[in-house]
Amino acid sequence: MKEKKYDYLIVGAGLFGSVFAHEMTKRGKKCIVIDKRKHLGGNVYCEEKEGINIHKYGAHIFHTNDKKIWDYVNQFADFNNYINSPLSLSKGKLYNLPFNMNTFYQLWGTKTPEEAKKIINEQIAEYGFKSPKNLEEQALSLVGKDIYETFIKSYTEKQWGKKATELPSFIIKRLPVRFTYNNNYFNDMYQGIPVGGYNTIIDGLLSGIETKTSVDFFEDRISLESLADKVVYTGKIDEFFDYKHGQLEYRSLRFEHELHTIENYQGNAVVNYNDASYAFTRIIEHKHFEFGKQNKTIITKEYPENWNRKKEAYYPINNDRNQSIFKKYKEESKLSKDVIFGGRLAEYRYYDMHQIIASSLTKVEEILKIERQ
Ligand code: FAD
C-alpha cells in the first residue's frame, strides 16, 4: 500500500490539537494541522490592536494546581503575575468576587466571619429547600436570599436565557463562599497570563509544524483523510457523524469590542453586570490582563446568545437529552479506529485550558503505549 504523506492530520488548531501535534512531532511523527478559522489557536487566540492583546473568544485566565502542566506551558511563554479578581455591579453598587469577606462587608457591613456566617446560615434556614427542584431553590439553599438576588438570579438568567425557576438545579452544584478577605477568584497554586498573549504559546507549540488555516475538514473530507494514517478530530462530534443521532445543543456568545481613547475604562480586567437592564453579562478590559500602559483601551461586552449552526458553540448544554445523544456518538466514535477524538467539542464538555492540555498529553501517552506493545 502507498505510504501516506503524514502520520496525523489534526483537525483543529486549538490547545488540544496543538499540544498533540507538538508532542507527536517531537517523537518523529509527521503532522499537519488544519483549522477552518483564519487563524491558529482556537478559542485562546488573541488579536493584537493598539498594542493590546484582545481575547477574541472570551477572557482567558490560565490557572492550574498541576505543577507538570504549569511547567509545560512555561516552556513556551513566561507568565505574568495577574490574579483574577473580578468585580460585580449590582443595582448601582460594586462588589468584590468571589463571594468573600469583602463581598459580605459591602453587602451587609459585617466585619467578622462569625457575623457573615450567621447571616448566611439564617437565610439558608429561612429560604432554603430540602430537595431543591430548580436553580433558584438550589441557590437559595446554598447561600440564602441576599447573595442569590444580588449576584446569581439575573446573571444566570441572562447567561442561559431562561428563568432561574425553569433551570435545572444541577447547573449550580456548589457556590463557594470564602470567610477570608481574599479576592483571588481561583484557589489554584499557579495563575497568570502569558506575556505576549496566548498566541506565543500556540506559536511555540506549532513551531516547525505544517499548518493550514481557512480549511474546513468537511469541505474536502475524502482527500484530507487520504493524506494521513490517522485523523485527530477536535471539532463537533455530531458534525463528524453528520448529525445522525441528532444535534447537540450549545449556548453561544456575542462579543462587542469597543476602542476608547482613554487610558483606563473600568480599572479592572473583568466586571460582571448582574442587572437584567444590561443585556451583556460582563465587560472585559483586555489591557489589565497584561498591566498595559497604552493611552487607549479596548473593552469587550459579552452577550449570551442562543446557538445555531452558524454561530460559535461555547458552552455545552448538559441536560439529559444532550447527554443521551452524546453517548450514542461516543459509542460510535470507538468504532472509528483511525480517528482520535479529543478537545471540548469532540468530548462535548466544558474544559479549562489546563485540563485540555492534560487530556491531550494523556491521549499522546495512551497512543505511544499501544505502539510500544
Ligand atoms: P478549541 O480551542 O475550540 O479548538 C477547536 C478548533 O477546531 C477550533 O479552532 C475550530 O475552528 C476547529 N475546527 C472545528 N471544526 C473544524 C472543521 N470542520 N475543520 C477545521 N477546523 C475545525 N479556560 C481557562 O482555563 N481559563 C479561562 O479563563 C477560560 N475562559 C473561557 C471563556 C470562554 C468564554 C470559553 C468559551 C472558554 C474558556 N476557557 C477557559 C476554556 C478554553 O477556551 C478551552 O479549554 C480551550 O480553548 C479548548 O481547546 P480545544 O482545542 O478543545 O478547542
Side-chain angles (χ1 to χ4, degrees):
M1 207 168 78
K2 195 168 161 272
E3 217 175 87
K4 300 211 175 157
K5 194 168 171 204
Y6 302 97
D7 295 300
Y8 292 103
L9 165 76
I10 294 149
V11 181
L15 272 176
F16 189 96
S18 301
V19 168
F20 190 97
H22 182 81
E23 291 303 311
M24 284 303 188
T25 305
K26 222 164 71 180
R27 290 164 174 92
K29 306 285 184 195
K30 201 148 172 22
C31 299
I32 177 165
V33 182
I34 61 163
D35 203 295
K36 64 180 177 185
R37 293 181 183 168
K38 288 196 214 99
H39 57 77
L40 304 170
N43 278 3
V44 305
Y45 170 72
C46 295
E47 187 176 83
E48 200 241 85
K49 270 198 185 131
E50 305 287 341
I52 300 165
N53 288 310
I54 304 163
H55 296 200
K56 251 322 240 194
Y57 301 92
H60 277 73
I61 298 109
F62 198 92
H63 59 97
T64 181
N65 246 337
D66 187 338
K67 169 103 169 55
K68 204 178 101 205
I69 299 298
W70 183 243
D71 289 343
Y72 189 81
V73 288
N74 274 272
Q75 293 176 82
F76 306 105
D78 292 328
F79 277 70
N80 69 17
N81 62 350
Y82 175 83
I83 298 284
N84 197 34
S85 313
L87 291 165
S88 181
L89 184 75
S90 182
K91 299 178 190 99
K93 213 176 143 186
L94 276 172
Y95 299 87
N96 289 109
L97 292 179
F99 309 137
N100 72 78
M101 286 303 294
N102 288 306
T103 330
F104 307 143
Y105 177 70
Q106 292 147 354
L107 198 55
W108 303 308
T110 49
K111 297 189 190 70
T112 65
E114 270 57 44
E115 287 170 335
K117 273 183 198 164
K118 187 166 177 281
I119 295 183
I120 292 173
N121 289 336
E122 279 170 5
Q123 291 200 0
I124 291 174
E126 188 173 352
Y127 299 99
F129 291 80
K130 276 216 170 68
S131 350
K133 283 186 283 303
N134 55 51
L135 187 143
E136 176 164 296
E137 293 183 1
Q138 170 82 333
L140 286 168
S141 313
L142 290 168
V143 288
K145 187 168 182 278
D146 288 350
I147 296 179
Y148 170 65
E149 287 183 351
T150 313
F151 304 109
I152 298 164
K153 185 179 187 297
S154 302
Y155 191 89
T156 314
E157 290 182 343
K158 285 195 280 186
Q159 235 181 347
W160 294 100
K162 279 193 177 143
K163 292 242 166 299
T165 46
E166 291 162 9
L167 286 164
S169 55
F170 72 77
I171 293 185
I172 295 183
K173 289 199 183 72
R174 295 179 322 120
L175 280 171
V177 280
R178 204 183 265 165
F179 295 99
T180 53
Y181 290 90
N182 175 4
N183 298 326
N184 182 348
Y185 197 75
F186 299 111
N187 290 316
D188 288 342
M189 178 95 103
Y190 309 103
Q191 183 174 175
I193 302 286
V195 175
Y198 288 92
N199 298 1
T200 315
I201 295 182
I202 298 293
D203 290 348
L205 284 166
L206 294 177
S207 160
I209 297 170
E210 200 175 328
T211 58
K212 283 198 172 124
T213 48
S214 305
V215 177
D216 189 330
F217 176 67
F218 296 109
E219 281 180 8
D220 202 7
R221 182 169 183 164
I222 291 168
S223 75
L224 284 167
E225 277 174 337
S226 73
L227 288 176
D229 291 335
K230 295 221 153 113
V231 172
V232 176
Y233 179 77
T234 75
K236 291 198 219 80
I237 193 162
D238 52 356
E239 191 175 10
F240 187 89
F241 294 109
D242 205 16
Y243 305 101
K244 66 198 270 196
H245 302 301
Q247 183 171 286
L248 292 167
E249 295 162 316
Y250 292 88
R251 197 74 183 133
S252 195
L253 293 170
R254 176 167 55 87
F255 298 109
E256 271 183 16
H257 308 289
E258 293 172 15
L259 171 70
H260 290 260
T261 50
I262 51 170
E263 206 187 306
N264 192 354
Y265 181 85
Q266 62 184 16
N268 204 37
V270 183
V271 179
N272 286 6
Y273 280 70
N274 286 283
D275 303 339
S277 52
Y278 301 98
F280 49 87
T281 45
R282 49 185 196 167
I283 296 184
I284 308 300
E285 188 170 12
H286 301 271
K287 70 191 304 179
H288 297 308
F289 286 126
E290 299 184 61
F291 316 116
K293 297 276 179 285
Q294 301 85 350
N295 53 17
K296 292 180 186 164
T297 192
I298 294 168
I299 61 156
T300 300
K301 292 178 178 157
E302 201 171 298
Y303 295 84
E305 281 198 334
N306 289 331
W307 174 82
N308 62 46
R309 284 190 202 172
K310 291 198 193 90
K311 291 186 191 169
E312 289 293 343
Y314 284 105
Y315 298 109
I317 299 181
N318 277 317
N319 55 24
D320 292 345
R321 175 199 174 269
N322 289 324
Q323 276 314 319
S324 89
I325 292 176
F326 173 66
K327 244 169 127 180
K328 292 183 189 154
Y329 288 122
K330 173 109 184 135
E331 281 310 309
E332 190 145 0
S333 73
K334 290 182 191 155
L335 306 173
S336 315
K337 293 284 172 232
D338 291 334
V339 186
I340 296 145
F341 294 85
R344 65 180 191 104
L345 295 168
E347 295 188 45
Y348 193 61
R349 209 179 127 178
Y350 179 85
Y351 273 118
D352 271 330
M353 291 180 278
H354 62 284
Q355 296 168 316
I356 275 289
I357 293 170
S359 87
S360 188
L361 291 171
T362 304
K363 186 59 85 181
V364 169
E365 281 307 321
E366 279 170 19
I367 294 167
L368 294 173
K369 200 171 155 199
I370 293 168
E371 275 187 10
R372 282 195 295 267
Q373 280 165 2

